[in-house]
Amino acid sequence: MSVIETTPSREGLPLLVIPNCVPVMVKAFREFLPEFDGICRVRLFTDTMLDEEVLARRMKGADAVIVVGFHVGDDLLRTMSQTVRCIAFGGTGVDNYVNLEQAKEYGIRICNIVHYGDAAVAEHAIALLMEITRRVGEMNADMHEGVWHPLDGMELYGKTMGIVGFGGIGQWVARIARGFGMNIKVWSRHPHEEAMRELQAASAESIHDLFASSDVVSLHLAYNRNTRGIVTADDLDALRAGSILINTARAELIEAGSLAKRLEKGDIYAGLDVFDREPMPEVDPLRVVPGTILTPHAAWCTDTAVRNAVRQCIDSVRGFYTGEATNVVV
């Protein structure tokens, strides 16, 4: 762990603390820190610490905090509220990470980031899909071991891509899938009539209908109290043999435990970037069930998306100090 500080001697300036950091974001944060010169002091911790007591100590005396990858529980929020008046989250779905009503009562501004990595996540969803259908990684490993063994693949042309949630990421996935010659079918909680027309997408009556009628289903819903477990075991059972499920959104969208049970049947495939517990525990049924491609919540990790995320965090905090409102949720 290292600590990067700007103008630590100017104690008259307010204090921004970044109490932990994802390694891929450190470079971008360091690049943008000079933008706070004369506005506030900055204290950036470059490790991935998640312990609440340690985080609380690190944030002591801060006026503003950038939160990266940890939940702000009610007790931690209460402690932070002694001095903190702005929390900028380096991610989306902020209401899953902090009690917004409690933050409002404390007079704390809450900011999030939006559409920072739509293309990145969509491309990763397609990468998971391509690994399942064309098995490039598997053949590459064989080739490096001296094994010449072409593997059967699955052609996507003419297949149906079912998309659950049709915001920025879902629409990007649809555009790529259309490029493959796939048919698009959508279930969404919000109307997106112009995008539906543009992408010649059909509308599914229900999530169950989408699962039953698609060759590939990709999840792109925001996770909140209304969408938790929205994909049920019955929906998963509706998948036809040979179907593929892609999830780069949130694991909690799927009814707890139901995906592993469905995969145990061995007749469908799944490409997963998100899990109920992260990092994924060593003992987890999804590690051993057949037909899975797993990645460690990496869909957002591109140079452009990381820079966009950090840029929005910086702008949110600068706006707080300069009297502007950028990506304010509360």
Side-chain angles (χ1 to χ4, degrees), residues 5 7 10 30 41 257 296 298 320:
E5 294 192 73
T7 58
R10 299 187 62 181
R30 295 189 68 164
R41 295 171 289 146
F320 166 70

Side-chain angles (χ1 to χ4, degrees), residues 15-63:
L15 175 63
L16 162 64
V17 173
I18 307 167
N20 72 342
C21 197
V22 178
V24 296
M25 300 177 84
V26 173
K27 180 180 177 181
F29 271 121
R30 295 189 68 164
E31 179 184 343
F32 289 128
L33 291 186
E35 297 191 18
F36 290 110
D37 289 351
I39 297 175
C40 68
R41 295 171 289 146
V42 181
R43 189 175 299 150
L44 165 62
F45 294 83
T46 61
D47 63 341
T48 55
M49 172 58 62
L50 296 176
D51 182 88
E52 280 199 1
E53 290 186 8
V54 176
L55 293 170
R57 288 198 299 270
R58 292 179 176 183
M59 294 184 287
K60 187 175 181 179
D63 307 275

Side-chain angles (χ1 to χ4, degrees), residues 8-311:
S9 61
R10 299 187 62 181
E11 294 186 1
L13 289 175
L15 175 63
L16 162 64
V17 173
I18 307 167
N20 72 342
C21 197
V22 178
V24 296
M25 300 177 84
V26 173
K27 180 180 177 181
F29 271 121
R30 295 189 68 164
E31 179 184 343
F32 289 128
L33 291 186
E35 297 191 18
F36 290 110
D37 289 351
I39 297 175
C40 68
R41 295 171 289 146
V42 181
R43 189 175 299 150
L44 165 62
F45 294 83
T46 61
D47 63 341
T48 55
M49 172 58 62
L50 296 176
D51 182 88
E52 280 199 1
E53 290 186 8
V54 176
L55 293 170
R57 288 198 299 270
R58 292 179 176 183
M59 294 184 287
K60 187 175 181 179
D63 307 275
V65 170
I66 294 177
V67 170
V68 178
F70 66 90
H71 286 75
V72 179
D74 290 352
D75 290 341
L76 180 57
L77 183 63
R78 186 177 303 108
T79 300
M80 294 169 67
S81 70
Q82 296 175 22
T83 59
V84 173
R85 289 296 170 264
C86 177
I87 300 175
F89 280 83
T92 57
V94 66
D95 54 336
N96 304 306
Y97 289 86
V98 64
N99 185 326
L100 296 181
E101 290 300 320
Q102 189 175 15
K104 186 176 181 179
E105 291 177 8
Y106 291 144
I108 300 175
R109 174 185 288 193
I110 303 292
C111 306
N112 70 346
I113 56 180
V114 295
H115 300 300
Y116 72 96
D118 288 357
V121 177
E123 289 171 9
H124 194 86
I126 297 299
L128 291 169
L129 175 60
M130 295 302 293
E131 183 58 35
I132 291 170
T133 58
R134 300 312 302 260
R135 305 167 72 180
V136 171
E138 191 175 345
M139 287 187 283
N140 173 64
D142 284 346
M143 291 288 285
H144 283 284
E145 293 295 324
V147 177
W148 185 279
H149 180 52
L151 298 175
D152 292 340
M154 179 190 305
E155 192 166 309
L156 294 173
Y157 180 83
K159 300 291 196 304
T160 296
M161 166 68 83
I163 299 175
V164 181
F166 208 48
I169 299 171
Q171 291 176 32
W172 268 110
V173 168
R175 291 187 186 97
I176 299 171
R178 286 290 297 170
F180 287 140
M182 300 185 75
N183 303 307
I184 309 300
K185 198 166 189 176
V186 173
W187 182 88
S188 177
R189 300 172 70 236
H190 305 287
H192 297 278
E193 295 177 1
E194 184 176 345
M196 293 283 286
R197 286 194 299 270
E198 173 195 344
L199 294 163
Q200 302 175 43
S203 180
E205 293 183 3
S206 64
I207 291 179
H208 193 84
D209 170 54
L210 187 81
F211 273 66
S213 57
S214 299
D215 301 291
V216 180
V217 175
S218 194
L219 304 184
H220 300 290
L221 274 178
Y223 171 62
N224 53 50
R225 65 177 63 92
N226 296 317
T227 59
R228 182 179 182 87
I230 196 169
V231 175
T232 67
D234 285 343
D235 297 327
L236 295 175
D237 284 341
L239 290 169
R240 302 182 298 240
S243 297
I244 300 168
L245 175 68
I246 304 295
N247 191 2
T248 54
R250 287 291 187 273
E252 295 88 348
L253 294 172
I254 302 174
E255 183 181 341
S258 61
L259 179 56
K261 289 181 181 178
R262 179 66 180 86
L263 286 164
E264 284 174 357
K265 297 180 180 179
D267 65 339
I268 66 167
Y269 305 90
L272 308 174
D273 186 54
V274 288
F275 307 93
D276 291 323
R277 293 176 58 193
E278 297 181 358
M280 193 180 189
E282 290 186 13
V283 179
D284 189 299
L286 290 174
R287 290 186 184 273
V288 295
V289 292
T292 57
I293 297 295
L294 311 177
T295 55
H297 206 145
W300 67 281
C301 288
T302 68
D303 52 353
T304 301
V306 167
R307 186 177 176 83
N308 287 345
V310 173
R311 172 77 270 171

